[in-house]
Amino acid sequence: MDADELRRALESADLTKYEAEAYLTLIEYGQLAAVDVSSKSSIPTSQVYETLRSLEEQGFVETIERDRLHAEPKEPSEILAQLRTHGELLTAAADELEDRWEEPELDDHRVSVVKQPETVYKHVRSRLEDATVSADLTVSFDQLKLLLPELEAAADRDVFIRIHLYDEPDLHEKATSLGLADSNLNIRVGTIPGPFIAIIDRNSLFFAPNSRADEDYGILMNDNILSFITHWYFLSCQWHVWEPLFGSGRHWTEYDSLEEFMRDIVPLFDDGAEIQLTVRGNYIDSREECREQGELVEAFYPTRYIGSGSELSLEDLSSYATIYIDTGEEVLSVGSWGAVYEDIEAHRITITDIQFPYGTH
């Protein structure tokens, strides 16, 4: 740093131009008469005495009365502390400006574009800490590692987690070393690389492109409709068609998607199984949270009675899907995400018992 830069730094620490210049002159030459401070700097003689007195009052120099006024610099602890304080303040201000530029607050129904994917991951981690219902993600292994503490903590709070993990060499070995073989996260593996996506509690949506994109950016959204559309992309392209990371024989008893539940369970119901359920969600009319238990007594979707076959597809369930449960006191209709006409919008469906005509399973 040259002398001019150092002088500007001292000025940023609340010294005047003349004070900064006088102090640097005394640091360089030691004790000097006031007139010599003036001659070795650009400070006018008429200003040098006032400048030195001011520096003395601030604790930066000591003046000595002889035949002429002399001054000598004090140990620079005061000004060092002042510079460091200003440095910390300016650094903090710079960080805050950067945060405000790159990380806008995610207000209701706001779509924000950010410059770096890392900003998206930061918001996802924060949002996972507050999640209460569900989280659907498509991630690379490195992205999963980054989010794993928050994902596992959310799963421990009974948040329903589904993860589409992009395949890569030695994935099973890497996942095993990370402890995912014993995790309660639901993970499936896909071989086609794609973007980073996170849908949290059906309203918060986060997106970042993959490494093949022309430029880095990210999108933060609080919007139920956009989240719903992306949820269907997740179900159809990144969940149903892929196999679990560890084994393929898992028996599902819990669902956060009515369509997924119906695809698996309605064929069993049609074969005569008696199925007991617990449905968690909210009542459509009051929007209050609810938890209802009952027996599955009917299921409806548009192609149900026109010979669509015994196996259900997402296409069968994409436009309208409803189940009915008998609680013992009443029959309630249960709809999926965005339900309008049913009694309940389902957030979680748990199978508590299945009785088959030929035995109990």
Side-chain angles (χ1 to χ4, degrees):
M1 179 179 288
D2 62 26
D4 285 341
E5 290 174 325
L6 186 53
R7 178 179 52 76
R8 287 196 296 272
L10 291 174
E11 289 175 28
S12 74
D14 294 336
L15 297 186
T16 67
K17 177 182 176 181
Y18 288 160
E19 287 170 348
E21 195 166 347
Y23 186 72
L24 289 176
T25 301
L26 291 170
I27 287 287
E28 183 177 358
Y29 292 99
Q31 188 182 121
L32 288 173
V35 293
D36 292 332
V37 173
S38 176
S39 66
K40 295 181 182 299
S41 67
S42 63
I43 306 171
T45 304
S46 60
Q47 297 289 325
V48 72
Y49 292 94
E50 182 181 345
T51 299
L52 292 174
R53 295 293 187 194
S54 176
L55 284 172
E56 184 175 41
E57 289 175 4
Q58 297 178 63
F60 297 147
V61 305
E62 183 176 357
T63 62
I64 305 163
E65 293 286 354
R66 294 180 182 169
D67 55 335
R68 295 181 298 175
L69 182 70
H70 288 66
E72 63 181 9
K74 281 186 160 184
E75 182 180 347
S77 55
E78 290 287 337
I79 200 160
L80 288 176
Q82 209 164 323
L83 283 170
R84 290 187 174 116
T85 300
H86 276 72
E88 291 170 1
L89 178 63
L90 291 172
T91 299
D95 290 343
E96 179 64 19
L97 285 172
E98 185 177 36
D99 288 344
R100 293 191 181 196
W101 173 254
E102 293 187 349
E103 302 180 32
E105 292 297 321
L106 202 54
D107 299 328
D108 289 342
H109 304 292
R110 178 173 179 177
V111 178
S112 300
V113 179
V114 296
K115 294 183 176 182
Q116 298 296 331
E118 287 75 18
T119 304
V120 175
Y121 310 148
K122 195 182 217 179
H123 277 278
V124 170
R125 294 180 71 175
S126 176
R127 187 65 183 84
L128 283 170
E129 291 175 352
D130 299 326
T132 58
V133 178
S134 63
D136 296 335
L137 296 96
T138 63
V139 294
S140 67
F141 184 74
D142 286 342
Q143 290 163 345
L144 177 59
K145 284 173 59 180
L146 178 67
L147 302 173
L148 189 59
E150 288 77 16
L151 286 167
E152 290 182 332
D156 289 342
R157 298 195 309 272
D158 201 31
V159 175
F160 195 84
I161 310 289
R162 287 186 299 187
I163 298 169
H164 174 96
L165 182 60
Y166 296 122
D167 198 10
E168 60 180 65
D170 303 319
L171 180 61
H172 276 74
E173 290 79 2
K174 294 176 183 177
T176 300
S177 67
L178 204 59
L180 296 178
D182 302 317
S183 171
N184 56 354
L185 304 176
N186 306 309
I187 304 175
R188 295 187 180 182
V189 179
T191 58
I192 302 174
F196 171 89
I197 294 174
I199 311 165
I200 302 175
D201 282 354
R202 302 190 171 199
N203 192 67
S204 299
L205 173 61
F206 305 88
F207 173 91
N210 62 31
S211 58
R212 295 177 297 172
D214 294 336
E215 59 181 334
D216 287 336
Y217 67 94
I219 302 176
L220 320 174
M221 287 167 269
N222 264 347
D223 188 272
N224 187 268
I225 295 175
L226 292 173
S227 296
F228 177 74
I229 293 169
T230 309
H231 163 76
W232 269 99
Y233 165 74
F234 176 86
L235 282 182
S236 60
C237 298
Q238 299 187 309
W239 187 251
H240 284 304
V241 296
W242 302 106
E243 293 297 325
L245 174 61
F246 292 103
S248 58
R250 176 173 177 178
H251 298 286
W252 287 79
T253 60
E254 195 166 41
Y255 300 82
D256 77 331
S257 162
L258 179 67
E259 292 82 9
E260 190 176 15
F261 165 82
M262 291 179 69
R263 197 183 78 152
D264 289 352
I265 302 305
V266 168
L268 301 180
F269 172 76
D270 288 343
D271 284 343
E274 297 179 1
I275 303 166
Q276 300 293 325
L277 307 174
T278 296
V279 176
R280 289 163 49 188
N282 60 263
Y283 295 115
I284 300 301
D285 289 340
S286 67
R287 307 309 298 176
E288 293 179 357
E289 293 184 359
C290 65
R291 182 187 182 97
E292 296 284 358
Q293 295 179 307
E295 180 180 352
L296 178 65
V297 292
E298 184 56 274
F300 177 77
Y301 48 92
T303 60
R304 180 154 175 73
Y305 302 112
I306 58 174
S308 62
S310 59
E311 298 224 356
L312 288 177
S313 67
L314 285 178
E315 182 181 1
D316 293 320
L317 304 168
S318 61
S319 61
Y320 188 81
T322 305
I323 62 171
Y324 297 83
I325 60 171
D326 186 346
T327 67
E329 298 180 354
E330 59 183 335
V331 175
L332 296 172
S333 58
V334 180
S336 185
W337 183 345
V340 175
Y341 302 107
E342 291 83 358
D343 298 310
I344 296 171
E345 178 188 58
H347 297 166
R348 185 81 60 87
I349 303 168
T350 304
I351 301 168
T352 56
D353 186 60
I354 298 182
Q355 298 285 337
F356 291 92
Y358 43 84
T360 303
H361 289 244

